[in-house]
Amino acid sequence: MNWKEIIAQPLLILTLLLAAVLPLSQPLIPLVIVLLLAFYSWKGHWKFSWDLVRSSPEILALLGFYVYNVLGLIGTENYSKGFIHLEIKLSLFLLPWLIFARSDLNLSKKKLINQTFIGACLIYCIWLLGRSTFIYITKGQNEFSYELFSNGFHPSYLAMYLLLAIRLCYAEIQSIQTKLIIPYLLIIAVFVSCIVLLSSKINLFLLVFSFLYFFVEGFIRAKRKTYWIYTAAAFIGIIAVSVFYNPSISERAERSFQVFSNLNTVDKSDTESNAARILIWQSAWTLMKEHPMGVGVGDVNIELENQYRLDGFTGIESKKLNAHNQFLQTGVALGFPGLISLLLLFILPIISRNKRQSGILMYFLVICFVNALVEGILETQKGVVFFGFFYCLLLKEDERI
């Protein structure tokens, strides 16, 4: 075994570690990426990597999106915030080289990476369920919902991780022997339970949509249809039990319905999540129309806060909230050209992949796109690394799942 073959193994180990720390330990992510970069640089093959990168319009679009963010420093007044913005998004520039442009990541190794991510998500879910159960038994406190349950992990981001993990489990079910299906169905049950308890409304919608799609497709393909009937019954049972024992889930859904059915009467001082988003989006759209080329990546949040003040939205101004919509956030910062560069990340895989497109990739794009409508998923490390990592991994040419 030559030195290039030897060094390929540390790269794989670090990639598996990155897949694991995504849900388990966010503070370790920068360290793992730095180590990956060091080993990748030592390995070399830059010409091969560039040839691979430039052959993919999707990866070029991802790199171009980051470069356009760098150009967003031009004209900005707050350079310190601008550099922080670029630091958060740096993974979007590094991961195409560290993941997509790798020659060692064949199909079997990518399956191992997916399984590692599933395992890490399962460990984290079991820990959350155990923690909330312990608190309930010892203190009598109900921490089985939303931020209390997620314990510092943003509920929407964690639910987004678990949705992808469910899709990866479904891919495993499609490729394994019948006797091994039950363990994966049990894992999916754990993930479904946690998504329901996290009470992220947009991801609950995606969960129901996903279940309907997986059930119909799986039921049609399956030779033994009883597994899918039991799965459907378990899914409905989990949701029913969760809503019955945790009324806050139904209360959040009811508040959403009330806000969206009375859009013209939203209180300008309201900070409830749904009402706040309506007000934020109004201010962000106003800024986009006034600054079609953007206000600059360093000034975007400052300009949003100023617009909240001008619009009289005192509640969201006091909380200093961002646009809570990645497309509007990017549009305010980089203008309509920046918005187009972001949209290309979702459009190009659909256009260029055609019949070769991966079912997992398309599902991943859907959950990210929908979450980006209500969250700034590329404004935090949790969202940036998750998106960049799986975007590059699932775009690998030999993806066939």
Side-chain angles (χ1 to χ4, degrees):
M1 181 180 291
N2 59 41
W3 69 270
K4 291 182 179 179
E5 293 173 326
I6 294 173
I7 203 170
Q9 295 309 307
L11 279 174
L12 176 60
I13 292 170
L14 287 169
T15 306
L16 295 173
L17 184 59
L18 182 56
V21 297
L22 267 171
L24 290 176
S25 182
Q26 293 281 321
L28 286 178
I29 288 177
L31 174 61
V32 176
I33 291 178
V34 168
L35 291 174
L36 258 176
L37 180 62
F39 277 97
Y40 178 82
S41 301
W42 181 22
K43 181 182 178 182
H45 285 183
W46 289 101
K47 184 180 185 303
F48 170 83
S49 298
W50 170 241
D51 289 342
L52 195 59
V53 164
R54 70 179 182 178
S55 69
S56 170
E58 303 96 330
I59 293 298
L60 289 176
L62 184 60
L63 293 172
F65 176 69
Y66 183 78
V67 171
Y68 201 84
N69 274 268
V70 174
L71 295 176
L73 281 174
I74 299 174
T76 194
E77 296 181 3
N78 196 322
Y79 281 97
S80 60
K81 289 185 180 296
F83 283 116
I84 292 173
H85 171 93
L86 296 179
E87 180 184 352
I88 292 171
K89 287 184 169 59
L90 183 58
S91 296
L92 299 179
F93 184 81
L94 295 178
L95 289 172
W97 307 98
L98 302 180
I99 303 298
F100 181 83
R102 294 256 298 278
S103 59
D104 64 300
L105 288 183
N106 55 31
L107 182 59
S108 62
K109 289 179 180 178
K110 287 193 295 175
K111 285 176 68 69
L112 181 60
I113 293 169
N114 292 340
Q115 291 166 351
T116 300
F117 180 72
I118 292 171
C121 287
L122 180 62
I123 292 170
Y124 194 72
C125 284
I126 292 173
W127 181 79
L128 288 179
L129 290 167
R131 171 188 169 277
S132 295
T133 301
F134 178 79
I135 291 174
Y136 183 77
I137 293 173
T138 57
K139 299 182 181 179
Q141 299 175 4
N142 185 349
E143 295 196 0
F144 284 97
S145 181
Y146 201 49
E147 291 180 329
L148 290 175
F149 179 68
S150 65
N151 190 37
F153 206 123
H154 194 294
S156 293
Y157 289 97
L158 181 54
M160 184 168 60
Y161 284 23
L162 297 182
L163 282 170
L164 178 61
I166 288 173
R167 179 61 182 88
L168 295 175
C169 286
Y170 179 66
E172 292 293 328
I173 289 173
Q174 290 179 306
S175 64
I176 61 180
Q177 298 177 359
T178 304
K179 64 181 180 180
L180 297 176
I181 288 178
I182 293 179
Y184 276 105
L185 291 179
L186 293 175
I187 293 173
I188 289 174
V190 172
F191 292 160
V192 169
S193 301
C194 288
I195 292 172
V196 173
L197 294 175
L198 288 166
S199 306
S200 167
K201 297 179 288 292
I202 197 69
N203 286 297
L204 284 173
F205 165 79
L206 285 169
L207 177 64
V208 173
F209 170 80
S210 302
F211 170 75
L212 291 174
Y213 172 76
F214 297 153
F215 175 76
V216 171
E217 184 184 59
F219 188 80
I220 292 174
R221 291 184 177 184
K223 295 180 179 178
R224 298 182 61 182
K225 302 185 185 301
T226 52
Y227 284 117
W228 294 99
I229 295 174
Y230 294 150
T231 301
F235 178 84
I236 295 170
I238 289 170
I239 292 181
V241 170
S242 300
V243 172
F244 180 79
Y245 285 101
N246 205 330
S248 64
I249 297 172
S250 56
E251 290 171 2
R252 283 173 55 79
E254 184 178 347
R255 285 198 299 269
S256 298
F257 177 78
Q258 291 174 350
V259 169
F260 286 100
S261 61
N262 298 281
L263 292 177
N264 296 326
T265 60
V266 176
D267 185 352
K268 290 187 175 183
S269 63
D270 205 335
T271 58
E272 189 273 332
S273 63
N274 298 290
R277 280 180 170 84
I278 299 298
L279 301 177
I280 290 170
W281 295 342
Q282 291 177 15
S283 295
W285 179 242
T286 298
L287 277 173
M288 282 186 66
K289 290 187 292 184
E290 293 178 356
H291 303 276
M293 298 305 293
V295 301
V297 295
D299 300 333
V300 53
N301 289 329
I302 295 173
E303 291 295 331
L304 280 169
E305 291 166 22
N306 291 338
Q307 190 63 44
Y308 301 156
R309 190 179 306 112
L310 291 173
D311 292 335
F313 300 155
T314 56
I316 57 176
E317 180 197 352
S318 64
K319 286 197 167 187
K320 301 182 182 297
L321 299 174
N322 65 23
H324 273 68
N325 177 306
Q326 188 58 57
F327 303 105
L328 288 175
Q329 183 81 16
T330 299
V332 173
L334 301 174
F336 288 97
L339 175 59
I340 293 172
S341 72
L342 175 59
L343 288 171
L344 285 175
L345 301 183
F346 296 92
I347 295 172
L348 284 178
I350 299 173
I351 295 175
S352 61
R353 293 276 144 175
N354 296 320
K355 294 182 179 180
R356 295 187 297 110
Q357 66 191 20
S358 159
I360 301 178
L361 173 61
M362 293 300 108
Y363 181 82
F364 169 75
L365 292 174
V366 168
I367 63 173
C368 288
F369 184 88
V370 174
N371 273 276
L373 294 174
V374 295
E375 296 288 350
I377 65 170
L378 300 182
E379 301 304 311
T380 65
Q381 177 181 268
K382 291 181 177 70
V384 168
V385 179
F386 172 76
F387 180 82
F389 181 78
F390 281 104
Y391 191 83
C392 295
L393 184 68
L394 297 174
L395 278 170
K396 293 288 287 181
E397 286 296 330
D398 58 348
E399 176 65 50
R400 289 293 182 269
I401 298 177

